[in-house]
């Protein structure tokens, strides 16, 4: 039972870490997309 509990806790920690990394990556992509859109819009305005 102790070993199974340790496995579940480790998997839960890995899952949490993965979700945090996924969120950070998504945030970076959104920011990059916003910057690209701003550059495209500024070049169209000129």
């Amino acid at each position: 039972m102790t070993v199974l509990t340790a496995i579940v806790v480790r998997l839960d920690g890995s899952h949490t870490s993965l979700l945090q990394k996924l969120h950070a990556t998504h945030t970076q992509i959104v920011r990059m997309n916003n910057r690209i859109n701003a550059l495209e819009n500024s070049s169209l305005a000129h």
Side-chain angles (χ1 to χ4, degrees), residues 12-31:
D12 186 49
S14 296
H15 186 254
T16 301
S17 177
L18 179 63
L19 287 176
Q20 289 172 342
K21 290 177 184 179
L22 182 61
H23 177 70
T25 302
H26 178 262
T27 300
Q28 287 176 335
I29 291 170
V30 168
R31 289 178 183 163

Side-chain angles (χ1 to χ4, degrees), residues 8 11 19 32:
V8 169
L11 289 175
L19 287 176
M32 183 175 55

Side-chain angles (χ1 to χ4, degrees), residues 1-11:
M1 189 65 176
T2 304
V3 172
L4 291 176
T5 302
I7 291 170
V8 169
V9 169
R10 182 172 179 183
L11 289 175

